[in-house]
Amino acid sequence: MIKLDIINEVVNKTGITKTKAEMAVETVFEKMKQALEQGDRIELRGFGVFNVKPRKTGIGRNPRTGAEVSIPPGKAVRFKPGKELQTLQ
């Protein structure tokens, strides 16, 4: 599923114009992105939780040369599915 599929589903379910549906979906994703950039936690009941966790520094290897490469510390977005998603059949 891609973003266009979500937009089309919003249009089909609500009957609003495609332009307004696209604006609504874009707004939701943009606000989620802003919240994660600020380090906020996003909890969508029945779906799951998005949060930002620190990533440790490490040492990796260049697959071509085998040379060691230093991996700098950073942040990574993590998703923990809710109960309903964990029990999908």
Side-chain angles (χ1 to χ4, degrees), residues 12-71:
N12 293 337
K13 293 268 185 177
T14 63
I16 63 175
T17 66
K18 189 169 184 174
T19 306
K20 287 186 179 182
E22 185 174 358
M23 191 183 317
V25 171
E26 288 290 338
T27 301
V28 169
F29 287 141
E30 187 59 35
K31 289 299 176 186
M32 289 177 72
K33 182 179 170 185
Q34 288 174 4
L36 290 170
E37 285 174 349
Q38 294 172 1
D40 293 340
R41 179 177 187 254
I42 299 172
E43 181 178 337
L44 303 172
R45 301 226 176 211
F47 186 73
V49 177
F50 294 90
N51 57 15
V52 178
K53 297 246 180 169
R55 189 176 53 211
K56 295 179 185 177
T57 187
I59 299 194
R61 291 204 177 269
N62 181 331
R64 281 195 185 159
T65 64
E68 288 189 352
V69 178
S70 177
I71 300 171

Side-chain angles (χ1 to χ4, degrees), residues 43-49 79-89:
E43 181 178 337
L44 303 172
R45 301 226 176 211
F47 186 73
V49 177
F79 174 72
K80 181 179 177 188
K83 288 181 185 179
E84 294 174 20
L85 280 183
Q86 289 178 353
T87 59
L88 289 179
Q89 302 279 336

